[in-house]
Amino acid sequence: MTLDAILLASSEAASEIPVVHPVAAEGVFTWLWLIIALPLAGAAVLLLGGAVAKGALDKVGHWIGTASAAGSFVLSLILFIALLGRGEEERQIGQHLFTWFQVGGLDVGMDLLYDPLSALFLLLITGVGSLIHVYSIGYMEHDDRRRRFFGYLNLFVAAMLVLVLGANYLVVFLGWEGVGLASYLLIGFWQHKHSAAAAAKKAFVINRVGDIGLSLAIALMFTTFGTTDFAAISEQASGASQATLNALGLLLLLGACGKSAQVPLQAWLLDAMEGPTPVSALIHAATMVTAGVYLVVRSNFIYELTPVAQTVVVIVATVTLLWGAILGCAKDDIKKALAGSTMSQIGYMMLAAGLGVAGYPFAIFHLLTHGFFKANMFLGAGSVMHGMNDDVDMRHYGGLRNYMPVTFLTFAMGYLAIIGFPGFSGFFSKDKIIETALAENWIIGLCALLGAGITGFYMTRLMLMTFFGDTSRWDKDAHPHESPHVMTVPLIVLAALSVLGGVLLLGDFVVEFLAPVTGVAEHHEPPLPAIVITLMVVAVVAIGVAAAWFLVGKREIPRVAPTEVSFATRAARADLYGDAINEGVVVAPGRALVSGLTSFDRVGVDGVVEGGSLGVGAVSGALRRVQNGFVRSYALSLLGGALLVVLALLAVNLA
């Protein structure tokens, strides 16, 4: 089989590339800017107001932060309902706030774009974000810096809203960098822990690598199209050279890999679990890690013209979905197991986005359902930690379903959703991605199918180690108990969404709703009937679940992980040597380069400068001896000079 036959070719499913045609905001849509302003104002009050009224704000800061996020959700819901009442051709709405800057030929406005894609993201960010704020009221109750924590949460939400509402790539980049800053502050919130500070720095640095890709893409857009606006670029993209389009697609993918933790920029994600658990739910379920998926789908007018970049997206996504799934199989830290799962599920979304028009709506559909069930499980993990003295090691758990029934039942809903149990949200969203992948390329489809089976294994392993088995592995001072209502109510809501999220596919709603942004795909016949593919997925997942039962559920779980394990297990525990690869490929050569430049600067540059000064000093010292102030020395010098002149004249005459 040739390489061309293995790799995914460009999708020819689109009848035409969607073009952005926003209409001016009017009516309730003029409130669009308030969705960003509310959490941004909350962050300003909580982070800057402490200097004026610290005591008062400490008492009510969490309510201010939660209310601002909830207010944005209410506005997002109102605008979404209003958008449903408009015709398909009127569902792209623009709002110009002010001119950001004008430099030469570059005129950038602080412009917002509200369309079906951004509408769904607003509901996810503000809806799930508000539930996480409510949960954090109980989770962070005894933290002395709770007001600052809620300020950071508000700042993060505001930055993410800027990212998904920007009408041009520079406004998107503003939100992109704001998300990076806020995530750094949240991951390292407990900076008294060296591990948390190191994890925050690692996430920040690796994301900067991706940001270089996005910034270069924006610069290339300006030099090519003279603008960074979505509307203008979508109209002019077909006139650009193939080399330019390939470069744009690959640079945008580099940016997406950083934010969405895709190979090779995935190493920060598991370490980021050092932040408080609500941070994990917010960043790794509903917001930051989905930013890369948003960027690729939003840039569909570029990717539809570059088969090379689309193919690379598919390859990166396929590798990542298997990479993350393998990591999830070997992690004993409950949050890191879920983080590996996040990496894998984002891989599914990126895979769908790389499939082109046929996959864009299912990438967003899975993004939404994943936001529900993964936020549910991250918060559920926090509830378990809350009852187990903040212990994250699943080998120290067991039998918790009897002590934490609400946490167990809600977590179980997320578990059934992520493995794709029939009727739950993940069953609909992940199956559509696998079906689309099989229709485009059977090798890619089989890899996605394999990932589903591994998901069934590692998630069942997590459930068995945490909620089943005996209690003999507990620490002696462990007294598990159910979390307070302020923490369990968000779990119940998210569990309900995990079950019911599949309704978005009824009547192809999500596909038709996103059509003005993603285009309409021609019908592709899968290699097998849809019912056969569904049964295949269910069977593969069942095999994964059964394997977990026989390998974990029926065996005694040691309280300490065994050291005598296979190479595959050691590799998975070491994150498939992602850090070692980065060390060998990037860090060590970079360190050697810096060391060489430092040596050159010290020996070469400093040597020339300092050597010159030493030479001048030596000459000055010699001349200083001549200028000694004695008349006899000067007279002798004159005599010597005169003799030299006479001798020179004689030599000339004799010649």
Side-chain angles (χ1 to χ4, degrees):
M1 179 175 291
T2 65
L3 182 63
D4 290 339
I6 295 175
L7 300 182
L8 181 68
S10 174
S11 172
E12 299 177 353
S15 57
E16 61 180 15
I17 299 171
V19 177
V20 181
H21 287 305
V23 298
E26 58 183 13
V28 296
F29 295 104
T30 58
W31 302 349
L32 188 59
W33 65 276
L34 278 173
I35 296 176
I36 300 172
L38 286 176
L40 187 61
V45 170
L46 294 175
L47 297 177
L48 304 178
V52 179
K54 183 178 184 300
L57 279 178
D58 284 347
K59 295 178 180 178
V60 300
H62 49 288
W63 295 114
I64 294 175
T66 303
S68 62
S72 286
F73 172 67
V74 171
L75 287 174
S76 299
L77 188 59
I78 292 173
L79 265 61
F80 176 73
I81 295 172
L83 190 68
L84 292 176
R86 298 170 72 98
E88 183 176 303
E89 68 284 352
E90 298 179 331
R91 289 184 177 175
Q92 295 184 340
I93 300 158
Q95 185 176 35
H96 175 73
L97 301 181
F98 54 87
T99 299
W100 187 1
F101 59 83
Q102 290 177 310
V103 180
L106 181 60
D107 186 355
V108 179
M110 185 59 68
D111 298 334
L112 306 181
L113 174 64
Y114 185 71
D115 62 7
L117 180 60
S118 55
L120 292 177
F121 266 90
L122 291 192
L123 291 176
L124 179 67
I125 295 166
T126 60
V128 175
S130 296
L131 292 172
I132 293 171
H133 276 71
V134 173
Y135 178 95
S136 299
I137 294 174
Y139 191 86
M140 302 295 290
E141 181 178 5
H142 302 294
D143 196 292
D144 294 336
R145 301 164 65 237
R146 181 166 65 164
R147 169 180 56 83
R148 181 174 297 185
F149 179 78
F150 275 85
Y152 291 161
L153 285 184
N154 274 190
L155 179 63
F156 185 95
V157 170
M160 191 68 194
L161 291 171
V162 171
L163 193 158
V164 299
L165 279 175
N168 60 68
Y169 282 98
L170 272 175
V171 176
V172 169
F173 191 69
L174 175 65
W176 195 271
E177 292 302 294
V179 166
L181 170 62
S183 66
Y184 170 78
L185 296 172
L186 287 168
I187 293 169
F189 182 75
W190 287 325
Q191 66 260 32
H192 60 276
K193 296 167 55 180
H194 173 74
S195 56
K201 182 172 66 174
K202 183 176 183 179
F204 190 82
V205 170
I206 292 179
N207 270 271
R208 297 293 73 73
V209 176
D211 294 351
I212 291 173
L214 180 55
S215 60
L216 290 175
I218 293 172
L220 182 58
M221 289 173 191
F222 173 65
T223 58
T224 304
F225 306 112
T227 181
T228 64
D229 289 344
F230 296 148
I233 294 175
S234 64
E235 290 178 344
Q236 301 177 46
S238 59
S241 69
Q242 194 62 51
T244 298
L245 292 169
N246 290 342
L248 283 175
L250 294 175
L251 288 171
L252 290 172
L253 174 61
L254 179 60
C257 284
K259 278 291 182 287
S260 292
Q262 300 292 282
V263 174
L265 300 180
Q266 82 292 348
W268 66 270
L269 186 64
L270 271 68
D271 287 14
M273 297 299 105
E274 289 292 338
T277 302
V279 174
S280 303
L282 184 64
I283 292 178
H284 307 126
T287 52
M288 178 173 167
V289 293
T290 63
V293 181
Y294 170 82
L295 182 66
V296 173
V297 175
R298 174 61 77 189
S299 304
N300 62 82
F301 43 77
I302 292 174
Y303 281 100
E304 286 303 304
L305 297 171
T306 168
V308 172
Q310 277 192 325
T311 299
V312 176
V313 171
V314 169
I315 294 172
V316 167
T318 304
V319 171
T320 304
L321 74 87
L322 293 174
W323 190 299
I326 292 170
L327 297 189
C329 294
K331 294 300 178 182
D332 294 329
D333 183 321
I334 187 171
K335 290 173 65 177
K336 288 190 176 183
L338 290 174
S341 168
T342 295
M343 186 190 306
S344 179
Q345 298 306 308
I346 300 294
Y348 275 102
M349 301 171 206
M350 291 292 286
L351 170 60
L355 295 174
V357 178
Y360 292 138
F362 302 125
I364 301 304
F365 182 31
H366 193 54
L367 186 151
L368 294 173
T369 61
H370 176 265
F372 301 150
F373 59 68
K374 187 53 66 65
N376 173 24
M377 288 189 289
F378 265 121
L379 295 184
S383 182
V384 170
M385 292 165 56
H386 179 79
M388 296 295 286
N389 299 327
D390 289 329
D391 191 351
V392 297
D393 193 337
M394 293 186 292
R395 293 185 179 274
H396 302 166
Y397 298 163
L400 293 180
R401 71 185 188 280
N402 298 321
Y403 298 84
M404 311 177 71
V406 176
T407 299
F408 165 66
L409 289 173
T410 54
F411 199 103
M413 298 302 102
Y415 159 74
L416 293 172
I418 192 173
I419 69 171
F421 192 85
F424 287 72
S425 59
F427 168 77
F428 298 101
S429 58
K430 190 189 296 183
D431 279 23
K432 294 302 295 185
I433 294 175
I434 295 173
E435 179 183 321
T436 305
L438 286 169
E440 297 286 346
N441 182 280
W442 65 270
I443 293 180
I444 298 297
L446 289 178
C447 289
L449 184 61
L450 175 61
I454 302 175
T455 301
F457 175 83
Y458 70 72
M459 284 306 306
T460 303
R461 172 181 179 268
L462 185 152
M463 287 292 292
L464 292 171
M465 293 179 69
T466 302
F467 296 105
F468 294 87
D470 57 46
T471 61
S472 61
R473 306 195 311 271
W474 293 0
D475 285 332
K476 293 181 179 180
D477 58 346
H479 300 286
H481 56 278
E482 189 58 88
S483 299
H485 293 316
V486 73
M487 294 171 63
T488 56
V489 169
L491 292 178
I492 294 170
V493 175
L494 289 168
L497 292 172
S498 300
V499 177
L500 302 174
V503 300
L504 293 173
L505 197 60
L506 290 178
D508 281 340
F509 167 78
V510 71
V511 176
E512 295 179 0
F513 183 68
L514 288 170
V517 181
T518 61
V520 180
E522 296 177 359
H523 181 66
H524 272 201
E525 285 293 339
L528 297 170
I531 185 62
V532 174
I533 294 177
T534 298
L535 292 175
M536 285 174 53
V537 175
V538 172
V540 170
V541 171
I543 292 172
V545 172
W549 170 250
F550 283 105
L551 295 177
V552 179
K554 296 190 69 174
R555 297 183 181 182
E556 182 178 351
I557 299 172
R559 197 173 187 279
V560 178
T563 55
E564 297 295 328
V565 293
S566 66
F567 170 77
T569 301
R570 291 198 303 273
R573 288 179 179 176
D575 299 346
L576 296 182
Y577 304 109
D579 287 334
I581 294 171
N582 289 339
E583 176 71 25
V585 176
V586 179
V587 178
R591 188 185 297 116
L593 175 62
V594 171
S595 177
L597 291 174
T598 302
S599 299
F600 174 75
D601 179 69
R602 183 174 60 253
V603 177
V605 178
D606 290 353
V608 171
V609 175
E610 294 176 1
S613 64
L614 291 174
V616 172
V619 173
S620 299
L623 293 175
R624 191 181 300 113
R625 293 189 181 93
V626 177
Q627 299 291 335
N628 56 19
F630 294 108
V631 174
R632 61 180 181 272
S633 298
Y634 298 156
L636 181 62
S637 299
L638 290 173
L639 177 61
L643 289 173
L644 288 174
V645 172
V646 170
L647 291 173
L649 291 173
L650 288 173
V652 171
N653 290 330
L654 290 175

